Amino acid sequence: MTFFKKRNNKTIQDTNINTLKPDLKKIKVSNSIVVGGMIAFGKSTLAKKINEAIKDSQIVFELNDEDQLMNLLLQKMYERENNLLFGSLFQLYFVLNRFQNYKNNCNNKNITIFDRSIFEDWLFAHENIVRPSVFSYYDSLWKDVAYELIYEYGVPKLYVILTGDWKLFKERLFERNRKIEIDNYKKNETYFRKLLEIYEEYMVNVCKDFGIDYILVDANKPLEEKVDIVLNKIKSITAWHKKINGTDSYKIENFINHYNFFSAKDLNSSKANEFISEINKVLDKQEITVITMLNGLEPYASKKTYDEIGNELNLSIAKIKSIEKTAVDKINQIKIKT
């Protein structure tokens, strides 16, 4: 699954060569953390412990016992008696409800911890919505919601992804003994297996595509150890932000996200490849990578996390500005060639 930015209807023929440039928009980062992962891996428990450990933080859980409609749709979905109807309704209701919770809470003064996010919803919907035409509608809706989230409200500053194997999943599922899951286990065993097989890889790719700092945490570790791992990661991200902001108002995200999305309607594949080649030459010299999303092309590079950039490269603000200037010069050279 790859997400592409919306574009207008202009083609390269409609564009004045003097104004030809990438269609860019900076991704925002919200004041939030998401704890995600496979069903029964303990994300709600971990999210609650992180909430308790961070003073004045808030938490938004995935399930709400008072939401009768959500619980009814979840039950009907697991029962699989009319999956075409209830699988679709459940996923549509869930993504809209979760997005509403996210935008209302992701930029509070104090940090908010979310139990899952809409980025995981797409994966569940892909496995639950059986009719292609219905999934196509869902996919279009999801992309609109995701577009609004990343540009208007911001991606999480950290995504905690819990990992584990089938043995751990089955053990945890039966330990927590939720009636709806146990009663319908046989009907959903294949569904559970499919989710687990692709969950970790899917989430890592999502975080790379959207430039989200993430950490993989073994769900089998003791709870307190998992909390410490997450808190240390949060501290490293916070320290890196302070280092950047304390030196200069210029932020490293401005460089990383400056070239985040590209409109292939304004740049054909040949020129897009030339752009990649030229920018890679610049970036390879400076040992730094950025995300560049090209419409119809795969992302050519993945953003490194803040602490990785800091620890591996120890780039100064002056060097970052120099890299950006060199990259812009290269873009201008390509524009002239076109």
Side-chain angles (χ1 to χ4, degrees), residues 55-71:
K55 184 180 179 181
D56 297 326
S57 64
Q58 301 175 56
I59 187 168
V60 177
F61 288 109
E62 178 180 34
L63 298 177
N64 180 358
D65 292 337
E66 296 180 1
D67 189 334
Q68 295 181 356
L69 178 56
M70 177 186 291
N71 291 319

Side-chain angles (χ1 to χ4, degrees), residues 250-300:
Y250 181 87
K251 297 181 181 180
I252 193 169
E253 300 102 293
N254 290 343
F255 174 71
I256 293 173
N257 290 322
H258 187 61
Y259 307 105
N260 220 357
F261 286 100
F262 229 107
S263 173
K265 288 186 176 180
D266 291 338
L267 201 65
N268 61 36
S269 295
S270 173
K271 292 302 176 185
N273 288 329
E274 185 178 356
F275 170 84
I276 292 174
S277 176
E278 292 296 326
I279 295 302
N280 265 327
K281 289 176 184 177
V282 176
L283 300 175
D284 285 345
K285 291 178 183 177
Q286 304 294 340
E287 300 180 86
I288 186 172
T289 59
V290 297
I291 296 175
T292 300
M293 297 286 282
L294 300 167
N295 180 42
L297 300 174
E298 289 296 319
Y300 83 93

Side-chain angles (χ1 to χ4, degrees), residues 199-262:
Y199 214 110
E200 180 180 334
E201 182 181 4
Y202 165 83
M203 282 309 305
V204 168
N205 288 336
V206 164
C207 288
K208 287 181 177 180
D209 280 358
F210 286 94
I212 304 172
D213 214 333
Y214 70 93
I215 182 172
L216 299 174
V217 179
D218 184 354
N220 205 28
K221 288 182 179 293
L223 180 57
E224 294 305 323
E225 184 177 344
K226 288 183 286 192
V227 172
D228 287 342
I229 290 171
V230 174
L231 292 179
N232 286 332
K233 179 67 174 179
I234 294 170
K235 287 177 184 177
S236 70
I237 294 173
T238 303
W240 177 246
H241 274 284
K242 285 181 178 178
K243 179 180 178 182
I244 294 295
N245 294 330
T247 308
D248 196 298
S249 60
Y250 181 87
K251 297 181 181 180
I252 193 169
E253 300 102 293
N254 290 343
F255 174 71
I256 293 173
N257 290 322
H258 187 61
Y259 307 105
N260 220 357
F261 286 100
F262 229 107

